[in-house]
Amino acid sequence: MTTPKYKRILLKLSGEALMGTDAYGINPKVIGEICGEIKAVADLGVEIGVVIGGGNIFRGMAGTATGMDRATADYMGMLATVMNAMALSDAMRQCGLNARVQSALNIEQVVEPYIRGKAIRYLEEGKVVIFGAGTGNPFFTTDTAAALRGSEIGAEIVLKATKVDGIYTADPKKDPAATRYDKISFNDAISQNLAVMDATAFALCRDQKLPINVFSIFKAGALKRVVCGEDEGTLVYC
Ligand SMILES: Nc1ncnc2c1ncn2[C@@H]1O[C@H](COP(=O)(O)OP(=O)(O)OP(=O)(O)O)[C@@H](O)[C@H]1O
Ligand SMILES: O=c1ccn([C@@H]2O[C@H](COP(=O)(O)O)[C@@H](O)[C@H]2O)c(=O)[nH]1
């Protein structure tokens, strides 16, 4: 039997990854496959909190490009993450996982509000908890929400599941000569402005001594390999 290295994790799922090859929104096949990857880890007895992004639906910075007020655009971005959280929860139900959505913004007819103690109880009961609406504050990102919720629930690691297979010397989508780090310290990631994750998220995890592993959500079995302590993606350490 495979032994997990971590008892409790915070998984940051890319919103954009949910699009698959579509131009926008949520691709049902892709979200189903992602749930399969998560179930493989839940079946090991690992407690899983999830923060989901919103880039497949709305990004605050894109709104401001058209002249929209930044805070208004950011609230729209947070609402987009709630839609993704609801879609993910339903896809989890369809693959046999028991999930709960908690939102940092109060929309109680739709999803539960974020209550830390209740989230921890759900985790102890073996339920996956999906944290929607990011931090609940404009001018932040869901990466920072992952660092925050990961710290709050006592996760042992933040796993950033994204479209690239780790952290590179430069954005690999723009610079084909970029090379991947197996591991990198928080201080180096911050000082080199590596834009795979925002500096606020890196700094919070560093201060809380909460490691991060960045890996590709499109690589089959990668999530399970990271959880089992195998060499996958890039580890960010103190
Ligand atoms: N040094 C780097 N190493 C790896 N990726 C990088 C780097 N610099 C920039 N990137 C880009 O960062 C992206 C991941 O971060 P981004 O915030 O865009 O996505 P996400 O958090 O996965 O998605 P979403 O915001 O939709 O939830 C990668 O797809 C990659 O193109
Ligand atoms: O704490 C938060 C989290 C997110 N936002 C806004 O939502 C979008 C989508 O989140 P991504 O992390 O980019 O996927 C983000 O661009 C912000 O506009 C926020 O304001 N506060």
Side-chain angles (χ1 to χ4, degrees), residues 12-17 52-56 59 142-143 160-164 166-173 193-197:
K12 159 70 208 306
L13 267 185
S14 162
E16 275 186 22
I52 184 139
N56 55 322
R59 238 187 245 288
T142 52
D143 283 341
K160 173 160 169 139
T162 187
K163 296 151 285 180
V164 291
I167 303 182
Y168 284 71
T169 47
D171 186 347
K173 290 190 175 162
N193 285 319
L194 298 174
V196 65
M197 213 159 172

Side-chain angles (χ1 to χ4, degrees), residues 12 15 52-56 58-61 70-71 73-81 133-145:
K12 159 70 208 306
I52 184 139
N56 55 322
F58 194 83
R59 238 187 245 288
M61 289 307 282
R70 169 71 191 267
D74 280 344
Y75 280 113
M76 290 173 68
M78 285 184 264
L79 292 174
T81 74
T135 64
N137 298 288
F139 307 103
F140 287 94
T141 67
T142 52
D143 283 341
T144 300

